[in-house]
Amino acid sequence: MAEKHDSVTKVSKKLLNSLNEAIAREVQVAIQYMWQHVQWGGVKGFAVHDELKSIGIAEMKHAEAIAERLFYLGGIPTTKPSPIFVGNTLKEMIKRDIQDEANAITLYKQIIEAALKEGDVTTGFLFKQILQQEEDHHDTFTTLLEDL
Ligand SMILES: [Fe+2]
Ligand SMILES: [Fe+2]
């Protein structure tokens, strides 16, 4: 592991904890979407199958980007995901995924506000980029659910 260093930007412990909450959720959905992708092979789920794969990969990249930022700020990224839900039917899966995306959107808006309040523009910018993608995911899952 790289040695801990002092960063120019200092943020509160509360903000660092929020970043770890974000990482736990990103790792959760990365695994969740990957396992849903693996378990879903039906004809009806063909479009969903590919979406779950590419969105799962996007979530893994989010986890890494947030972990890098957290480590830079002096925190240690968690390895523990939030509770993972795979589901038994496609409808059940996508309904839960929509909820998880909505929760991420709420949390990331809070993180952006808190980061900017503490003068941490870079974290704010990072989460604005991620937020835009979570809104896309939410939109994709919502559209997919309409066809199920
Ligand atoms: Fe994400
Ligand atoms: Fe997402």
Side-chain angles (χ1 to χ4, degrees):
M1 191 185 279
E3 221 170 277
K4 296 277 275 172
H5 55 88
D6 278 341
S7 62
V8 177
T9 307
K10 301 270 183 216
V11 298
S12 66
K13 187 88 182 108
K14 190 167 179 276
L15 183 56
L16 295 181
N17 288 342
S18 297
L19 293 195
N20 250 334
E21 196 186 329
I23 291 167
R25 283 169 176 275
E26 293 291 353
V27 176
Q28 172 218 334
V29 290
I31 299 168
Q32 183 169 308
Y33 300 163
M34 185 162 51
W35 285 177
Q36 289 175 342
H37 158 80
V38 165
Q39 286 186 30
W40 197 259
V43 175
K44 204 176 171 188
F46 194 72
V48 184
H49 184 77
D50 281 355
E51 287 290 358
L52 284 169
K53 183 174 181 173
S54 68
I55 296 176
I57 292 168
E59 309 297 12
M60 186 57 74
K61 289 177 180 169
H62 293 168
E64 190 194 21
I66 300 166
E68 278 175 351
R69 185 65 190 159
L70 176 65
F71 189 73
Y72 171 81
L73 291 169
I76 297 295
T78 182
T79 55
K80 211 175 162 212
S82 298
I84 296 161
F85 177 90
V86 178
N88 293 310
T89 67
L90 192 52
K91 207 166 202 167
E92 198 177 51
M93 290 178 183
I94 302 302
K95 271 189 177 166
R96 172 56 193 257
D97 297 347
I98 291 171
Q99 192 52 53
D100 281 325
E101 293 295 334
N103 290 342
I105 289 166
T106 304
L107 177 65
Y108 295 176
K109 282 180 180 169
Q110 288 167 3
I111 289 177
I112 292 165
E113 206 185 314
L116 295 181
K117 226 178 244 174
E118 295 188 23
D120 184 0
V121 181
T122 308
T123 297
F125 181 68
L126 173 67
F127 274 87
K128 275 182 189 173
Q129 290 175 304
I130 297 174
L131 176 62
Q132 192 182 7
Q133 291 180 33
E134 308 304 7
E135 284 176 344
D136 277 350
H137 299 165
H138 185 271
D139 193 50
T140 301
F141 287 138
T142 304
T143 307
L144 287 172
L145 186 65
E146 285 168 6
D147 292 332
L148 294 179

